[in-house]
Amino acid sequence: MRANPPRTEDELLGRALSLEGRRLGPIAEGLGLRAPADLRRNKGWVGELLELALGAAGGAAAACDFPDLGVELKTVPLDERGRPRESTCVCVASLGPESLASWEDCWLRAKLARVLWVPVLGRGAPGSRVVGRARLWSPSVREEALLRADWEELSGQLGLGRFDELDARWGEVLQLRPKAASSRERRWAMSAEAEWVQVNPRGFYLRARFVARVLSGLADLDGTPPNQ
């Protein structure tokens, strides 16, 4: 059973903070659900569970998780040292000329305008994992400049059809990675040689070290205190 959507950011953050220290299994049981034995066939289960618990009303590709508040939910698995285990997916990347839209109008910028970060600790059975301390965040001036520079470079290469030249090494804080349920999934796109080719879908991901800095609550790279 999904919780009612929060009416304010304070209400949303209060709900998230009330989950701190709780295991996912009891949270699932309170919603009438059962935790899976593992995440191999339930990769998105943790995020979906917290969406239900917090009252997320989005879910569509073109909507934030909390559309009335303009807030996106991002769950982050942490290792034993409290560091993100992996990069964090933001959204699917456009593979055609539409990737050449302006930064001000792009979906990635809208997704990251306001984010509720919820860390999840542990690596055993999903139900035994523990919710960490949540925080609301918006990019600082410096962080947005870094995101914009990476997005413009990566999107520009995609728009030119240079798919084979791009890999996860590109980008300082943002990277492109395959984004599909299977490596066999393909999409049609125009190559740099102006030929239609089938390529793997890509997604924009935030690098783990960038997310670690956001979660740490340290001052930003330009010395600006982090957003609360």
Side-chain angles (χ1 to χ4, degrees):
M1 176 182 238
R2 187 185 301 270
N4 292 326
R7 293 165 292 182
T8 66
E9 278 195 358
D10 286 343
E11 182 180 353
L12 172 59
L13 182 58
R15 289 184 188 182
L17 292 175
S18 72
L19 298 177
E20 184 180 359
R22 294 186 60 191
R23 296 187 182 277
L24 298 183
I27 294 174
E29 291 173 6
L31 295 168
L33 303 172
R34 178 178 295 180
D38 57 59
L39 298 179
R40 284 176 293 181
R41 296 184 180 180
N42 301 276
K43 189 173 182 181
W45 180 80
V46 173
E48 292 167 3
L49 174 65
L50 292 175
E51 287 177 3
L52 290 172
L54 296 172
C64 293
D65 293 309
F66 301 92
D68 291 341
L69 303 179
V71 175
E72 183 75 1
L73 172 65
K74 291 297 180 188
T75 57
V76 184
L78 303 184
D79 64 17
E80 294 78 6
R81 294 177 295 177
R83 298 178 181 177
R85 294 183 182 279
E86 57 195 28
S87 54
T88 299
C89 183
V90 181
C91 62
V92 174
S94 298
L95 298 179
E98 61 271 19
S99 65
L100 299 177
S102 69
W103 167 251
E104 288 74 17
D105 296 329
C106 78
W107 181 228
L108 181 137
R109 181 174 185 259
K111 281 271 194 179
L112 295 179
R114 194 65 167 158
V115 178
L116 176 67
W117 295 97
V118 182
V120 178
L121 298 80
R123 60 183 310 168
S128 69
R129 302 184 188 189
V130 177
V131 179
R133 187 169 184 81
R135 71 181 303 253
L136 277 166
W137 168 84
S138 292
S140 68
V141 173
R142 173 60 172 163
E143 288 167 336
E144 180 163 356
L146 291 170
L147 291 165
R148 177 174 186 160
D150 282 351
W151 180 87
E152 288 180 342
E153 180 179 30
L154 294 170
S155 293
Q157 295 298 314
L158 288 175
L160 294 173
R162 295 174 177 168
F163 311 111
D164 294 336
E165 300 176 30
L166 292 169
D167 57 35
R169 292 173 294 183
W170 286 61
E172 183 175 350
V173 298
L174 198 65
Q175 61 181 174
L176 278 170
R177 291 178 51 193
K179 175 62 174 171
S182 166
S183 61
R184 296 188 297 273
E185 186 174 334
R186 295 287 190 274
R187 292 183 182 176
W188 287 103
M190 186 71 71
S191 72
E193 292 74 30
E195 298 177 347
W196 286 104
V197 294
Q198 287 191 313
V199 299
N200 294 118
R202 264 76 159 185
F204 286 111
Y205 288 73
L206 294 173
R207 290 191 179 277
R209 62 175 178 265
F210 180 81
V211 176
R213 190 172 188 88
V214 169
L215 295 179
S216 71
L218 297 175
D220 184 36
L221 298 176
D222 61 356
T224 303
N227 296 296
Q228 299 302 315

